[in-house]
């Protein structure tokens, strides 16, 4: 056997040793991305995990339950989801204002405490009117939370780690979602209404945890007069660039809505998937996020945030092309295409969530973060409501084959809008990092 130049004989396992070393480096870097935050950031992440576990119990089954089990027409289910998202938007606007005026911590705690009651009330729904009423109440209480928690995360992180901070929350959310999907699928199969009670109880747990561990990092401007604080809120949410970003976020949210409102119906009616099978398949969404959220965010750190969002829009378009091909194919192929949809749209979500939130955080002053982030969340909720309602109408009138190409066209419009917004942003605001000559 020939010897190597250094005198060692070659090993058959050399390529595999290189692969192991490379995997170790990548894995180590991924773990590093989770380190270095202040303790309250981890507390917010843990609270997010627990709360979203509750949401995961009901998320893929809500439209199926109220449409197929309770007997509410899908268009009215869509109306209820629209009411929920409009109410969430209103709660979010109020939550952003209150978080800037009175501080982040009390708003987060009250939101979770009230949501314990409103989310559990879904278990009592028997009519379309009751569904709309409960969805509205739940939207109001849940909506208070997001701008306060996002603003606190920004308060607790510096600019260099902010995208990682939001990515950490995304990982926690989807670890909770994934577990919730599986547990919810099993629980729903023998106690369908219990999943709604369990969802409410998780909010109560989070309220207790946050009350115990969160610091007061922003005391707000409670001493200001009501007129002055309202005027400050108005100025914060009417800046042209934040309004433009919010409008684009409406379009992104229309895409998000389909995973809850229409794709589960495709899987249940076209492919005859059971609730347990659907819940297991939906685990692809949180699994991909838990595995790839931090590495992908790290990979686009030097990108302009708008370019990462353009890539997200392209991935959304590709995911809808997969769903468009489901009717008429063999069942196994159809299930695989739903899986492709979930993986590709999840990659789009991985890019969208931290980049859009970080961009919004850097477009104003720290004292305005709650209000400006609330505007972004309002846009998301409105878009999800519109997306659910429009999707329901398309399905009820047998036009679902036209929904998917329409969504692809919306993705193209979003990408063009992002490129237009990019010209109005500085490099620092857009998150691009200059590359040194040594790189």
């Amino acid at each position: 056997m020939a010897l190597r130049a250094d005198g060692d004989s070659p090993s058959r396992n050399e390529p595999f040793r290189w692969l192991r070393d490379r995997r170790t480096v990548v894995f180590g870097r991924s773990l590093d991305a989770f380190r270095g935050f202040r303790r309250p950031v981890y507390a917010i992440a843990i609270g997010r995990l627990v709360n979203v576990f509750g949401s995961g119990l009901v998320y893929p089954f809500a439209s199926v339950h109220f449409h197929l089990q309770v007997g509410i027409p899908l268009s009215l289910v869509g109306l209820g989801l629209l009411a929920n998202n409009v109410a969430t938007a209103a709660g979010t606007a109020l939550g952003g204002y209150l978080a800037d005026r009175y501080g982040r911590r009390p708003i987060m705690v009250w939101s979770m405490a009230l949501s314990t009651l409103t989310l559990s009330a879904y278990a009592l729904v028997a009519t379309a009117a009751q569904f709309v009423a409960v969805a509205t109440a739940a939207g109001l209480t849940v909506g208070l939370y997001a701008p306060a928690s996002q603003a606190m995360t920004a308060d607790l992180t510096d600019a260099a780690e902010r995208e990682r901070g939001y990515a950490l929350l995304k990982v926690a959310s989807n670890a909770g979602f994934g577990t919730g999907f599986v547990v919810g699928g099993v629980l729903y199969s023998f106690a369908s209404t219990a999943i709604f009670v369990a969802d409410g109880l998780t909010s109560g747990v989070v309220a207790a945890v946050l009350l115990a561990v969160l610091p007061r990092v922003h005391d707000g401007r409670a001493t200001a007069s009501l007129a002055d604080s309202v005027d400050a809120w108005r100025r914060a949410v009417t800046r042209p660039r934040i309004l433009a970003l919010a409008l684009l976020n409406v379009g992104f949210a229309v895409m998000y809505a389909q995973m809850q409102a229409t794709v589960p119906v495709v899987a249940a009616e076209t492919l005859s998937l059971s609730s347990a099978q659907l819940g297991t398949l939906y685990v692809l969404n949180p699994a991909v996020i838990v595995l790839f959220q931090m590495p992908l965010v790290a990979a686009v750190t030097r990108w302009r945030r708008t370019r990462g969002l353009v890539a997200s829009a392209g991935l959304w378009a590709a995911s809808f092309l997969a769903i468009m091909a489901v009717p008429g194919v063999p069942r196994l192929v159809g299930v695989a295409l739903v899986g492709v949809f979930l993986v590709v749209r999840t990659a789009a979500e991985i890019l969208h969530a931290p980049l859009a939130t970080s961009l919004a955080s850097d477009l104003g002053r720290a004292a305005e973060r709650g209000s400006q982030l609330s505007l972004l969340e309002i846009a998301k909720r409105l878009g999800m409501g519109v997306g659910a309602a429009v999707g329901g109408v398309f399905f009820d009138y047998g036009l679902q084959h036209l929904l998917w190409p329409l969504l692809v066209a919306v993705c193209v419009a979003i990408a063009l809008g992002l490129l237009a917004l990019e010209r109005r942003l500085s490099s620092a605001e857009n998150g691009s990092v200059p590359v040194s000559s040594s790189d």
Side-chain angles (χ1 to χ4, degrees), residues 40 125 232 277 308:
V125 167
Q277 291 170 331

Side-chain angles (χ1 to χ4, degrees), residues 325-345:
V326 169
V329 301
R331 183 172 183 269
L332 186 60
V333 176
V335 172
L337 286 171
V338 174
V340 170
F341 164 82
L342 290 168
V343 171
V344 176
R345 63 81 59 203

Side-chain angles (χ1 to χ4, degrees), residues 212-230:
V213 304
L214 282 190
R216 287 185 175 272
V217 295
H218 177 78
D219 291 331
R221 45 175 184 258
T223 58
S225 68
L226 178 62
D228 287 342
S229 64
V230 170

Side-chain angles (χ1 to χ4, degrees), residues 35 122 163 324:
R35 301 187 178 109
Y122 276 114
E163 289 175 14
M324 196 187 323

Side-chain angles (χ1 to χ4, degrees), residues 218-302:
H218 177 78
D219 291 331
R221 45 175 184 258
T223 58
S225 68
L226 178 62
D228 287 342
S229 64
V230 170
D231 189 56
W233 174 84
R234 180 191 58 76
R235 290 195 304 270
V237 300
T238 55
R239 301 189 190 280
R241 295 182 303 169
I242 197 70
L243 285 172
L245 182 60
L247 180 61
L248 292 168
N249 220 41
V250 171
F252 275 112
V254 169
M255 312 304 145
Y256 275 81
Q258 307 316 312
M259 183 174 169
Q260 180 183 18
T262 57
V263 173
V265 176
V266 172
E269 293 187 344
T270 305
L271 301 174
S272 301
L273 295 183
S274 68
S275 61
Q277 291 170 331
L278 180 60
T280 302
L281 185 61
Y282 262 53
V283 171
L284 283 171
N285 172 250
V288 170
I289 288 181
V290 170
L291 291 174
F292 297 107
Q293 177 75 67
M294 302 301 276
L296 281 181
V297 168
V300 301
T301 296
R302 294 183 179 273

Side-chain angles (χ1 to χ4, degrees), residues 328-398:
V329 301
R331 183 172 183 269
L332 186 60
V333 176
V335 172
L337 286 171
V338 174
V340 170
F341 164 82
L342 290 168
V343 171
V344 176
R345 63 81 59 203
T346 300
E349 180 182 352
I350 284 173
L351 292 177
H352 169 258
L355 293 177
T357 309
S358 297
L359 180 55
S361 295
D362 288 344
L363 288 182
R365 298 182 296 111
E368 299 174 339
R369 278 177 180 151
S371 299
Q372 292 193 333
L373 288 169
S374 74
L375 185 63
L376 203 68
E377 189 67 18
I378 288 168
K380 177 181 175 181
R381 293 299 173 177
L382 288 175
M384 290 184 70
V386 169
V390 171
V393 170
F394 271 73
F395 270 69
D396 279 352
Y397 286 91

